Amino acid sequence: TRYKFYTSLNLLWKTYFIGVTRLTKYNPLDDLEPPTKPEPKRKEPYNCDEVFSLLDEVEGPKIDRNDIADLARLIGMPKLSVALNIAFFTGLRASEICRLQLKDFHRGNTIDWDNNPYINLPANKTKERLAKRVFVPPCLVNFLKNNTYFNSLNSSDEIYPHTIRTLREAMHERCLVAGVTWKGSATTRTTFGTHAVDGLYEGSIEKTARQLG
């Protein structure tokens, strides 16, 4: 917390007080020894059983038909199912999932599922600041081709028209119901990278890194 506070305040002082408003050229934080940056914690990926248990729960949720809140959750379940399948099988970030539109799958005016389908993300939808092309693996192709919700979307529709927080909370809730240990929503990316090296890309770290951007 001290390190984050110091870094944020230092950035504010340099960019605003010194850079934008030019109120001063002196940064008092320069006189202090900065706090030690903590070692980053490794994100533990979901194992294959946990992934499939979670996806099974989302695709066929256990719902109490007499509970109004449960019935309300059922309405958003198709969107969550598509979002999590794309996240686990492509390695896209949660922020990228929430910006994703059907037209990002298009080549021209349609989706070509037969010739190496990919998601083409423009620069304003990624953190890399460059356009990114993401391969869609065969298992995800089969899921999306047969998914009623996905096929009901129009070109400009968002795949998951909600915030990152909504995605995280919905995923957390389904993990609890499925009996899967909660490891965070951002861990879908780590999970893809871990298992893709061993499976989809047959030991190629370079191909996996290219897919992740």
Side-chain angles (χ1 to χ4, degrees), residues 88-138:
F88 276 118
F89 291 114
T90 64
L92 288 180
R93 298 179 179 90
S95 59
E96 294 167 343
I97 294 290
C98 293
R99 295 190 188 104
L100 196 61
Q101 294 172 284
L102 186 67
K103 63 184 179 183
D104 297 325
F105 288 81
H106 284 177
R107 290 189 191 179
N109 296 320
T110 58
I111 303 175
D112 187 354
W113 291 122
D114 299 321
N115 298 306
N116 297 321
Y118 58 82
I119 301 169
N120 190 38
L121 283 177
N124 64 340
K125 294 184 181 180
T126 73
K127 284 190 175 180
E128 283 84 17
R129 298 182 183 177
L130 295 171
K132 182 166 72 171
R133 182 174 291 185
V134 179
F135 172 66
V136 181

Side-chain angles (χ1 to χ4, degrees), residues 1-190:
T1 303
R2 288 180 61 220
Y3 177 79
K4 288 182 179 179
F5 181 75
Y6 174 91
T7 304
S8 302
L9 190 57
N10 193 35
L11 181 65
L12 171 67
W13 201 279
K14 287 181 178 178
T15 56
Y16 184 73
F17 294 116
I18 297 176
V20 177
T21 61
R22 303 183 185 280
L23 291 176
T24 179
K25 293 183 179 179
Y26 169 64
N27 184 353
L29 292 179
D30 290 339
D31 298 336
L32 301 177
E33 183 178 347
T36 304
K37 183 178 181 179
E39 289 294 324
K41 293 181 180 179
R42 183 179 184 274
K43 294 176 181 175
E44 288 297 325
Y46 294 95
N47 62 42
C48 290
D49 288 340
E50 289 173 328
V51 171
F52 292 126
S53 293
L54 176 57
L55 293 181
D56 286 344
E57 165 54 33
V58 175
E59 290 162 25
K62 303 178 183 71
I63 296 293
D64 182 357
R65 298 283 175 177
N66 297 318
D67 188 329
I68 296 177
D70 259 11
L71 291 175
R73 293 187 192 98
L74 189 61
I75 297 173
M77 213 57 70
K79 300 175 187 177
L80 180 63
S81 175
V82 170
L84 291 183
N85 271 277
I86 293 174
F88 276 118
F89 291 114
T90 64
L92 288 180
R93 298 179 179 90
S95 59
E96 294 167 343
I97 294 290
C98 293
R99 295 190 188 104
L100 196 61
Q101 294 172 284
L102 186 67
K103 63 184 179 183
D104 297 325
F105 288 81
H106 284 177
R107 290 189 191 179
N109 296 320
T110 58
I111 303 175
D112 187 354
W113 291 122
D114 299 321
N115 298 306
N116 297 321
Y118 58 82
I119 301 169
N120 190 38
L121 283 177
N124 64 340
K125 294 184 181 180
T126 73
K127 284 190 175 180
E128 283 84 17
R129 298 182 183 177
L130 295 171
K132 182 166 72 171
R133 182 174 291 185
V134 179
F135 172 66
V136 181
C139 54
L140 183 57
V141 169
N142 292 334
F143 172 79
L144 295 178
K145 282 174 69 175
N146 299 307
N147 186 270
T148 305
Y149 165 71
F150 184 83
N151 290 303
S152 70
L153 297 173
N154 295 317
S155 177
S156 59
D157 288 343
E158 293 182 335
I159 303 296
Y160 189 76
H162 301 292
T163 63
I164 300 172
R165 180 178 179 177
T166 303
L167 176 61
R168 180 174 62 247
E169 290 176 350
M171 183 179 172
H172 185 199
E173 182 183 81
R174 289 298 106 188
C175 277
L176 293 176
V177 175
V180 173
T181 302
W182 171 244
K183 299 176 183 178
S185 57
T187 315
T188 56
R189 186 170 166 82
T190 309

